[in-house]
Amino acid sequence: MKKIRYPRLAYNKTTLIGLMIFLVTMLTFLILLFMELAAGSSNPYVGIFVYMVLPPVALFGLLLIPIGMWRRFKVLQSSDRPDTARFPYVDLNRATHRRTALLLLVVALLYSGLAAVGSFQAYHHSESVEFCGATCHVPMKPEYTTYQLSSHARVACTACHVGEGVGWYAKSKLSGAYQVYASAFDKFPRPIPTPIKDLRPARETCERCHWPEKDSGGQQRLITHYMYDEENTEWPINLLVKTGGGDPETGQPEGIHWHMNTAVETEYIARDPQRQDIPWIRVTERETGRVTVYQDEDDPLTEEEIAAGPVRRMDCMDCHNRPSHKFRSPDFAVDRALLTGRIPRDLPEIKRVAVEATAAHYETEEEAHREIAARIPGFYRKEYPDVSVARRVDIEKAVVATQTLFSQILFPEMKVRWTDYPDNIGHFIEPGCFRCHTPTKVSEEGWTITQDCNVCHSILSQGSEDRFEMASSPEGLEFVHPEDIDEEWRETGCFECHEGTQP
Ligand code: HEC
Ligand code: HEC
Ligand code: HEC
Ligand code: HEC
Ligand code: HEC
Ligand code: HEC
């Protein structure tokens, strides 16, 4: 019987190409891995390349080696006597066979070791903020930018979007694979729709760090507004927000987090996907089983619509829907810049001019920056020629600050404006709490959901200079609207006039 010498099987093109691919990718892998570790680089592309592209290529090379050898064996076998063995001989008593076997063993061990490191790193990398936020620049820019400015800038995207456990990891990777495809071929919607379908329940994400049983008391908020007048008159509002606690065991089950009270359950049906129009609300008391249903008087749901639902159980995300991606309005952002002095407050009418320059519709960020740089100085040249000359440096400063804030809140390439992502906390620019807390939502008993200005917060002080007022009792002050609007705020929601620009 002719013996086919084992190592000779390797002398064929397929095997040699496989070996080359394997060696070259492994070498690249090692060099890049070393660079990544040594430099602590966080370039998302290096990561993708090292952990996601190289290992499969190396594996492909590795597979070519036995395939080539097998084909070679077949050829040698059929060209010789027909009764040769069906499989190559491996005879460990022969030194060459022993050496080859040993070599293969070492390569296999080395590879599985590196593959283990690689897949561990791949797991981590695909979970990293850089991977989620920075790899797909265009589609993720709005969320990534707002994330970096939020109080969760040190919390990984996946802590909220994936959470723990294999099931959700796999689920996120499946939809992630589609997203990688969508961004590579420019197939993503602009803006990215919200809310996210099938977002993991807050119970399993937010509540790993914040939990409803924790008593959170109250929170003071000092919000400084500037008016759209010549002096940019400052109008601070100092609120005590009655956050309250969610658990009767540990604290007062009252205040805003009453909603998370474990003894009651609030559910609702929304008409629109963004959950801004809520005509039906049901509150169930667990202990007594008592149910109260509030319906919109003006525009109630029909029986069929109620049966069709879907009924959503209220959780943290129904109020805190923008914990990490707040798309601020130009009004808010310019107020901030005025407060911190990035925009000089004593430039006449700068609040109005900066808000208008920011809120105008632009096609690209670059166009916006160019227009802002033209509009603001243009306004002063025309309306205040003296100021234009005397305050040139300050006007320039205002331009730069306005350009910066534009890039933090508006993303024309993704067609993202603050109105696309309403924030449900409050009721100043978006309906928020007033989606339910309005006089038109009435129960069978004739009850409405409270609109009392003092239930959710009390005003500790408001106004400035000669119109400054400070509370002298825990009930706080009655709200004073800075502009005379005939007390219209009593009937009309703030958000109906204040839409994020000049009311
Ligand atoms: C603190 C929790 C949290 C973190 C951290 C977080 N997100 Fe989000 N994200 C949310 C919530 C909540 C929503 C809105 C969900 C909803 O309303 O359905 C959201 C929505 C989104 C959306 C959909 C569009 C939108 O704005 O509604 C994208 C895209 C997104 N996040 C990407 C990211 C990326 C990328 C990161 C990391 C750079 C990140 N998120 C970090 C909580 C978080
Ligand atoms: C990995 C832990 C972690 C997770 C998960 C997390 N947070 Fe937070 N959260 C924090 C930290 C840390 C802060 C910052 C506290 C500070 O600034 O003092 C914070 C602050 C907050 C604040 C107060 C500051 C603000 O922005 O108004 C709210 C509200 C909040 N988180 C809501 C949420 C919601 C809703 C979710 C789920 C979508 C969530 N968090 C998920 C850790 C987390
Ligand atoms: C009928 C329309 C209307 C309603 C309702 C309304 N406002 Fe106003 N608001 C105005 C107008 C007009 C101004 C004057 C704009 C200016 O010169 O600043 C103004 C100015 C303000 C300002 C000064 C700073 C700024 O952004 O203009 C604050 C603060 C304010 N309103 C708060 C509120 C609050 C809070 C509510 C709800 C409780 C409310 N407003 C309801 C029309 C309204
Ligand atoms: C009915 C609306 C609503 C719901 C539901 C809600 N919150 Fe809040 N939460 C608020 C408001 C309003 C504040 C006051 C601060 C603010 O205005 O941002 C607040 C404040 C907070 C804060 C910051 C203050 C603190 O105690 O440290 C955290 C954290 C927080 N909420 C987490 C949660 C979590 C987690 C859930 C779900 C279990 C939840 N909230 C459910 C409305 C709500
Ligand atoms: C989905 C509808 C809905 C939304 C949105 C909503 N609420 Fe409520 N809220 C209710 C209902 C229903 C009640 C209970 C009414 C009752 O049965 O007494 C309630 C009760 C409350 C109470 C307790 C009042 C009391 O009697 O002690 C507070 C405080 C409160 N809400 C604050 C808020 C705040 C703040 C927001 C916005 C951040 C908000 N709610 C958003 C439906 C809602
Ligand atoms: C259902 C609860 C609730 C009711 C009722 C309510 N508010 Fe508010 N209000 C809030 C929350 C929540 C905020 C946001 C606080 C924050 O920014 O942290 C807010 C914010 C405000 C602010 C500050 C807005 C800003 O951005 O400067 C004013 C002023 C205000 N409310 C006035 C009123 C007045 C006047 C009424 C009665 C007509 C009223 N509120 C009724 C929950 C409520």
Side-chain angles (χ1 to χ4, degrees), residues 114-157:
L114 284 172
V117 173
S119 41
F120 181 72
Q121 292 283 19
Y123 168 79
H124 264 269
H125 180 69
S126 73
E127 294 282 281
S128 73
V129 170
E130 288 78 30
F131 180 75
C132 305
T135 311
C136 319
H137 297 288
V138 178
M140 278 310 116
K141 189 175 168 193
E143 275 73 26
Y144 190 45
T145 309
T146 47
Y147 160 84
Q148 287 170 310
L149 296 169
S150 82
S151 38
H152 290 103
R154 300 284 180 277
V155 174
C157 317

CSV table of all heavy atoms in Angstrom, one decimal, residues 114-157:
chain,number,residue,atom,x,y,z
A,114,LEU,N,-6.5,33.2,21.5
A,114,LEU,CA,-6.7,34.5,21.0
A,114,LEU,C,-8.2,34.7,20.7
A,114,LEU,O,-8.7,35.8,20.9
A,114,LEU,CB,-5.9,34.7,19.7
A,114,LEU,CG,-4.4,34.9,20.1
A,114,LEU,CD1,-3.6,34.9,18.8
A,114,LEU,CD2,-4.2,36.2,20.8
A,115,ALA,N,-8.9,33.7,20.2
A,115,ALA,CA,-10.3,33.8,19.8
A,115,ALA,C,-11.1,34.1,21.1
A,115,ALA,O,-12.0,34.9,21.1
A,115,ALA,CB,-10.8,32.5,19.2
A,116,ALA,N,-10.7,33.5,22.2
A,116,ALA,CA,-11.4,33.8,23.5
A,116,ALA,C,-11.2,35.2,23.8
A,116,ALA,O,-12.2,35.9,24.1
A,116,ALA,CB,-10.9,32.9,24.6
A,117,VAL,N,-10.0,35.7,23.8
A,117,VAL,CA,-9.7,37.1,24.1
A,117,VAL,C,-10.5,38.0,23.1
A,117,VAL,O,-11.2,39.0,23.5
A,117,VAL,CB,-8.2,37.5,24.0
A,117,VAL,CG1,-8.0,39.0,24.1
A,117,VAL,CG2,-7.4,36.7,25.0
A,118,GLY,N,-10.4,37.6,21.8
A,118,GLY,CA,-11.1,38.4,20.8
A,118,GLY,C,-12.6,38.5,21.0
A,118,GLY,O,-13.1,39.6,21.0
A,119,SER,N,-13.2,37.4,21.3
A,119,SER,CA,-14.7,37.4,21.4
A,119,SER,C,-15.1,38.2,22.7
A,119,SER,O,-16.1,38.9,22.7
A,119,SER,CB,-15.3,36.1,21.3
A,119,SER,OG,-14.6,35.1,22.0
A,120,PHE,N,-14.3,38.0,23.7
A,120,PHE,CA,-14.5,38.8,24.9
A,120,PHE,C,-14.5,40.3,24.6
A,120,PHE,O,-15.3,41.1,25.0
A,120,PHE,CB,-13.5,38.4,26.0
A,120,PHE,CG,-13.8,39.1,27.3
A,120,PHE,CD1,-14.9,38.8,28.1
A,120,PHE,CD2,-12.9,40.1,27.7
A,120,PHE,CE1,-15.1,39.4,29.3
A,120,PHE,CE2,-13.1,40.8,28.9
A,120,PHE,CZ,-14.2,40.4,29.7
A,121,GLN,N,-13.4,40.6,23.9
A,121,GLN,CA,-13.2,42.1,23.6
A,121,GLN,C,-14.3,42.5,22.6
A,121,GLN,O,-14.8,43.6,22.7
A,121,GLN,CB,-11.8,42.3,22.9
A,121,GLN,CG,-10.7,42.1,23.9
A,121,GLN,CD,-10.5,43.3,24.8
A,121,GLN,OE1,-11.4,44.1,25.0
A,121,GLN,NE2,-9.3,43.4,25.4
A,122,ALA,N,-14.7,41.6,21.7
A,122,ALA,CA,-15.7,42.0,20.8
A,122,ALA,C,-17.0,42.2,21.5
A,122,ALA,O,-17.7,43.2,21.2
A,122,ALA,CB,-16.0,40.8,19.8
A,123,TYR,N,-17.3,41.4,22.5
A,123,TYR,CA,-18.5,41.6,23.3
A,123,TYR,C,-18.4,43.0,24.0
A,123,TYR,O,-19.4,43.8,23.9
A,123,TYR,CB,-18.6,40.5,24.4
A,123,TYR,CG,-19.6,40.7,25.5
A,123,TYR,CD1,-20.9,40.5,25.2
A,123,TYR,CD2,-19.2,41.2,26.7
A,123,TYR,CE1,-21.9,40.7,26.2
A,123,TYR,CE2,-20.1,41.5,27.7
A,123,TYR,CZ,-21.4,41.2,27.4
A,123,TYR,OH,-22.4,41.5,28.4
A,124,HIS,N,-17.3,43.3,24.6
A,124,HIS,CA,-17.1,44.5,25.3
A,124,HIS,C,-17.2,45.7,24.3
A,124,HIS,O,-17.8,46.7,24.6
A,124,HIS,CB,-15.8,44.6,26.0
A,124,HIS,CG,-16.0,44.2,27.4
A,124,HIS,ND1,-16.3,45.2,28.4
A,124,HIS,CD2,-16.1,43.0,28.0
A,124,HIS,CE1,-16.5,44.5,29.5
A,124,HIS,NE2,-16.3,43.2,29.3
A,125,HIS,N,-16.5,45.5,23.2
A,125,HIS,CA,-16.5,46.6,22.2
A,125,HIS,C,-17.9,46.9,21.7
A,125,HIS,O,-18.3,48.1,21.6
A,125,HIS,CB,-15.6,46.3,21.1
A,125,HIS,CG,-15.5,47.4,20.1
A,125,HIS,ND1,-14.9,48.6,20.4
A,125,HIS,CD2,-16.0,47.5,18.9
A,125,HIS,CE1,-15.0,49.4,19.4
A,125,HIS,NE2,-15.7,48.7,18.4
A,126,SER,N,-18.7,45.9,21.4
A,126,SER,CA,-20.0,46.1,20.8
A,126,SER,C,-20.9,46.7,21.9
A,126,SER,O,-22.0,47.1,21.6
A,126,SER,CB,-20.6,44.8,20.2
A,126,SER,OG,-20.9,44.0,21.3
A,127,GLU,N,-20.5,46.6,23.1
A,127,GLU,CA,-21.3,47.2,24.2
A,127,GLU,C,-20.8,48.6,24.6
A,127,GLU,O,-21.3,49.3,25.4
A,127,GLU,CB,-21.2,46.3,25.5
A,127,GLU,CG,-21.8,45.0,25.3
A,127,GLU,CD,-23.3,45.0,25.4
A,127,GLU,OE1,-23.8,45.1,26.5
A,127,GLU,OE2,-23.9,45.0,24.4
A,128,SER,N,-19.7,49.1,23.9
A,128,SER,CA,-19.1,50.3,24.4
A,128,SER,C,-19.8,51.5,23.8
A,128,SER,O,-20.5,51.5,22.8
A,128,SER,CB,-17.6,50.4,24.0
A,128,SER,OG,-17.5,50.6,22.6
A,129,VAL,N,-19.7,52.6,24.6
A,129,VAL,CA,-20.3,53.9,24.2
A,129,VAL,C,-19.8,54.3,22.8
A,129,VAL,O,-20.5,54.8,22.0
A,129,VAL,CB,-20.0,54.9,25.2
A,129,VAL,CG1,-20.5,56.3,24.7
A,129,VAL,CG2,-20.8,54.6,26.5
A,130,GLU,N,-18.5,54.1,22.6
A,130,GLU,CA,-17.9,54.5,21.3
A,130,GLU,C,-18.6,53.8,20.2
A,130,GLU,O,-18.9,54.3,19.1
A,130,GLU,CB,-16.4,54.3,21.2
A,130,GLU,CG,-15.6,55.2,22.1
A,130,GLU,CD,-15.6,54.7,23.5
A,130,GLU,OE1,-15.7,53.5,23.8
A,130,GLU,OE2,-15.5,55.6,24.4
A,131,PHE,N,-18.7,52.5,20.4
A,131,PHE,CA,-19.3,51.6,19.3
A,131,PHE,C,-20.8,52.1,19.0
A,131,PHE,O,-21.1,52.3,17.9
A,131,PHE,CB,-19.4,50.2,19.7
A,131,PHE,CG,-20.0,49.3,18.7
A,131,PHE,CD1,-19.3,49.0,17.5
A,131,PHE,CD2,-21.3,48.8,18.8
A,131,PHE,CE1,-19.8,48.2,16.5
A,131,PHE,CE2,-21.8,48.0,17.8
A,131,PHE,CZ,-21.1,47.7,16.7
A,132,CYS,N,-21.5,52.3,20.1
A,132,CYS,CA,-22.9,52.7,19.9
A,132,CYS,C,-23.1,54.1,19.3
A,132,CYS,O,-23.9,54.4,18.5
A,132,CYS,CB,-23.7,52.7,21.2
A,132,CYS,SG,-23.7,51.1,22.0
A,133,GLY,N,-22.2,55.0,19.9
A,133,GLY,CA,-22.5,56.4,19.6
A,133,GLY,C,-21.7,57.0,18.5
A,133,GLY,O,-22.1,57.8,17.8
A,134,ALA,N,-20.4,56.6,18.4
A,134,ALA,CA,-19.5,57.3,17.5
A,134,ALA,C,-19.3,56.6,16.2
A,134,ALA,O,-18.9,57.2,15.2
A,134,ALA,CB,-18.2,57.5,18.2
A,135,THR,N,-19.6,55.3,16.1
A,135,THR,CA,-19.3,54.6,14.8
A,135,THR,C,-20.2,55.0,13.7
A,135,THR,O,-19.7,55.3,12.6
A,135,THR,CB,-19.5,53.0,15.0
A,135,THR,OG1,-18.7,52.7,16.2
A,135,THR,CG2,-18.9,52.3,13.9
A,136,CYS,N,-21.5,55.1,14.0
A,136,CYS,CA,-22.4,55.6,13.0
A,136,CYS,C,-22.6,57.1,13.2
A,136,CYS,O,-23.7,57.5,13.6
A,136,CYS,CB,-23.7,54.9,13.1
A,136,CYS,SG,-23.6,53.2,13.5
A,137,HIS,N,-21.6,57.9,12.8
A,137,HIS,CA,-21.7,59.3,13.0
A,137,HIS,C,-23.0,60.0,12.7
A,137,HIS,O,-23.6,60.6,13.5
A,137,HIS,CB,-20.7,60.0,12.2
A,137,HIS,CG,-19.3,59.7,12.4
A,137,HIS,ND1,-18.6,60.1,13.6
A,137,HIS,CD2,-18.4,59.0,11.7
A,137,HIS,CE1,-17.4,59.6,13.5
A,137,HIS,NE2,-17.2,58.9,12.4
A,138,VAL,N,-23.4,59.8,11.5
A,138,VAL,CA,-24.6,60.5,11.0
A,138,VAL,C,-25.8,60.2,11.8
A,138,VAL,O,-26.4,61.0,12.4
A,138,VAL,CB,-24.7,60.4,9.5
A,138,VAL,CG1,-25.9,61.2,9.0
A,138,VAL,CG2,-23.5,60.9,8.8
A,139,PRO,N,-26.2,58.9,11.8
A,139,PRO,CA,-27.5,58.7,12.4
A,139,PRO,C,-27.5,58.8,14.0
A,139,PRO,O,-28.5,59.2,14.5
A,139,PRO,CB,-27.8,57.2,12.1
A,139,PRO,CG,-26.6,56.6,11.6
A,139,PRO,CD,-25.8,57.7,11.0
A,140,MET,N,-26.4,58.6,14.6
A,140,MET,CA,-26.3,58.6,16.1
A,140,MET,C,-25.9,60.0,16.6
A,140,MET,O,-25.9,60.2,17.8
A,140,MET,CB,-25.4,57.6,16.6
A,140,MET,CG,-26.0,56.2,16.8
A,140,MET,SD,-27.6,56.2,17.6
A,140,MET,CE,-28.7,55.6,16.3
A,141,LYS,N,-25.5,60.9,15.7
A,141,LYS,CA,-25.0,62.2,16.2
A,141,LYS,C,-25.9,62.9,17.2
A,141,LYS,O,-25.5,63.3,18.3
A,141,LYS,CB,-24.6,63.1,15.1
A,141,LYS,CG,-23.8,64.3,15.5
A,141,LYS,CD,-23.4,65.1,14.4
A,141,LYS,CE,-22.9,66.5,14.8
A,141,LYS,NZ,-22.7,67.4,13.7
A,142,PRO,N,-27.2,63.0,16.9
A,142,PRO,CA,-28.1,63.7,17.8
A,142,PRO,C,-28.1,63.1,19.2
A,142,PRO,O,-27.9,63.8,20.2
A,142,PRO,CB,-29.4,63.7,17.1
A,142,PRO,CG,-29.2,63.4,15.7
A,142,PRO,CD,-27.9,62.7,15.6
A,143,GLU,N,-28.3,61.8,19.2
A,143,GLU,CA,-28.4,61.1,20.5
A,143,GLU,C,-27.0,61.1,21.3
A,143,GLU,O,-27.0,61.3,22.5
A,143,GLU,CB,-28.9,59.7,20.4
A,143,GLU,CG,-30.4,59.5,20.3
A,143,GLU,CD,-31.0,60.0,19.0
A,143,GLU,OE1,-30.2,60.0,18.0
A,143,GLU,OE2,-32.1,60.5,19.0
A,144,TYR,N,-26.0,60.9,20.5
A,144,TYR,CA,-24.7,60.9,21.1
A,144,TYR,C,-24.3,62.3,21.7
A,144,TYR,O,-23.8,62.4,22.8
A,144,TYR,CB,-23.6,60.4,20.1
A,144,TYR,CG,-22.3,60.1,20.7
A,144,TYR,CD1,-22.1,59.4,21.8
A,144,TYR,CD2,-21.1,60.6,20.1
A,144,TYR,CE1,-20.9,59.1,22.4
A,144,TYR,CE2,-19.8,60.3,20.6
A,144,TYR,CZ,-19.8,59.5,21.7
A,144,TYR,OH,-18.5,59.2,22.3
A,145,THR,N,-24.6,63.3,21.0
A,145,THR,CA,-24.2,64.7,21.4
A,145,THR,C,-25.0,65.0,22.7
A,145,THR,O,-24.5,65.5,23.7
A,145,THR,CB,-24.6,65.7,20.3
A,145,THR,OG1,-24.0,65.3,19.1
A,145,THR,CG2,-24.1,67.1,20.7
A,146,THR,N,-26.4,64.8,22.7
A,146,THR,CA,-27.2,65.1,23.8
A,146,THR,C,-26.8,64.2,25.0
A,146,THR,O,-26.8,64.7,26.2
A,146,THR,CB,-28.7,64.9,23.5
A,146,THR,OG1,-28.9,63.7,22.9
A,146,THR,CG2,-29.1,66.1,22.6
A,147,TYR,N,-26.4,63.0,24.7
A,147,TYR,CA,-26.0,62.0,25.8
A,147,TYR,C,-24.8,62.6,26.5
A,147,TYR,O,-24.7,62.6,27.7
A,147,TYR,CB,-25.7,60.7,25.1
A,147,TYR,CG,-24.8,59.8,25.9
A,147,TYR,CD1,-25.3,58.9,26.9
A,147,TYR,CD2,-23.4,59.7,25.6
A,147,TYR,CE1,-24.5,58.1,27.6
A,147,TYR,CE2,-22.6,58.8,26.3
A,147,TYR,CZ,-23.1,58.0,27.3
A,147,TYR,OH,-22.3,57.2,28.0
A,148,GLN,N,-23.8,63.1,25.7
A,148,GLN,CA,-22.6,63.6,26.3
A,148,GLN,C,-22.8,64.8,27.2
A,148,GLN,O,-22.0,65.1,28.1
A,148,GLN,CB,-21.6,63.9,25.3
A,148,GLN,CG,-21.0,62.7,24.7
A,148,GLN,CD,-20.1,63.0,23.4
A,148,GLN,OE1,-20.6,63.7,22.5
A,148,GLN,NE2,-18.9,62.5,23.4
A,149,LEU,N,-24.0,65.5,27.0
A,149,LEU,CA,-24.3,66.7,27.8
A,149,LEU,C,-25.2,66.3,28.9
A,149,LEU,O,-25.6,67.2,29.7
A,149,LEU,CB,-25.0,67.8,26.9
A,149,LEU,CG,-24.1,68.3,25.8
A,149,LEU,CD1,-25.0,69.2,24.8
A,149,LEU,CD2,-23.0,69.2,26.3
A,150,SER,N,-25.6,65.1,29.1
A,150,SER,CA,-26.6,64.7,30.1
A,150,SER,C,-26.0,64.2,31.4
A,150,SER,O,-24.8,64.0,31.4
A,150,SER,CB,-27.5,63.6,29.5
A,150,SER,OG,-26.9,62.4,29.7
A,151,SER,N,-26.8,64.1,32.4
A,151,SER,CA,-26.3,63.6,33.7
A,151,SER,C,-25.9,62.1,33.5
A,151,SER,O,-25.4,61.6,34.5
A,151,SER,CB,-27.3,63.8,34.8
A,151,SER,OG,-28.6,63.6,34.4
A,152,HIS,N,-26.3,61.5,32.4
A,152,HIS,CA,-25.9,60.1,32.2
A,152,HIS,C,-24.7,59.9,31.3
A,152,HIS,O,-24.5,58.8,30.8
A,152,HIS,CB,-27.1,59.3,31.7
A,152,HIS,CG,-28.2,59.1,32.7
A,152,HIS,ND1,-29.3,59.8,32.7
A,152,HIS,CD2,-28.3,58.3,33.8
A,152,HIS,CE1,-30.1,59.5,33.7
A,152,HIS,NE2,-29.5,58.6,34.4
A,153,ALA,N,-23.9,60.9,31.2
A,153,ALA,CA,-22.8,60.9,30.2
A,153,ALA,C,-21.8,59.8,30.6
A,153,ALA,O,-21.0,59.4,29.8
A,153,ALA,CB,-22.1,62.2,30.1
A,154,ARG,N,-21.8,59.3,31.9
A,154,ARG,CA,-20.9,58.3,32.3
A,154,ARG,C,-21.6,56.9,32.4
A,154,ARG,O,-21.0,56.0,32.9
A,154,ARG,CB,-20.2,58.6,33.6
A,154,ARG,CG,-19.4,59.9,33.6
A,154,ARG,CD,-18.1,59.8,33.0
A,154,ARG,NE,-17.4,61.0,33.0
A,154,ARG,CZ,-17.5,62.0,32.1
A,154,ARG,NH1,-18.4,61.9,31.1
A,154,ARG,NH2,-16.8,63.1,32.2
A,155,VAL,N,-22.8,56.9,32.0
A,155,VAL,CA,-23.6,55.6,32.0
A,155,VAL,C,-23.5,55.0,30.6
A,155,VAL,O,-23.8,55.8,29.6
A,155,VAL,CB,-25.0,55.8,32.5
A,155,VAL,CG1,-25.8,54.5,32.4
A,155,VAL,CG2,-25.0,56.3,33.9
A,156,ALA,N,-23.2,53.8,30.4
A,156,ALA,CA,-23.1,53.2,29.1
A,156,ALA,C,-24.4,53.2,28.4
A,156,ALA,O,-25.4,52.9,29.0
A,156,ALA,CB,-22.5,51.8,29.1
A,157,CYS,N,-24.4,53.4,27.1
A,157,CYS,CA,-25.7,53.3,26.3
A,157,CYS,C,-26.5,52.0,26.6
A,157,CYS,O,-27.7,52.0,26.8
A,157,CYS,CB,-25.5,53.3,24.8
A,157,CYS,SG,-24.2,54.4,24.2
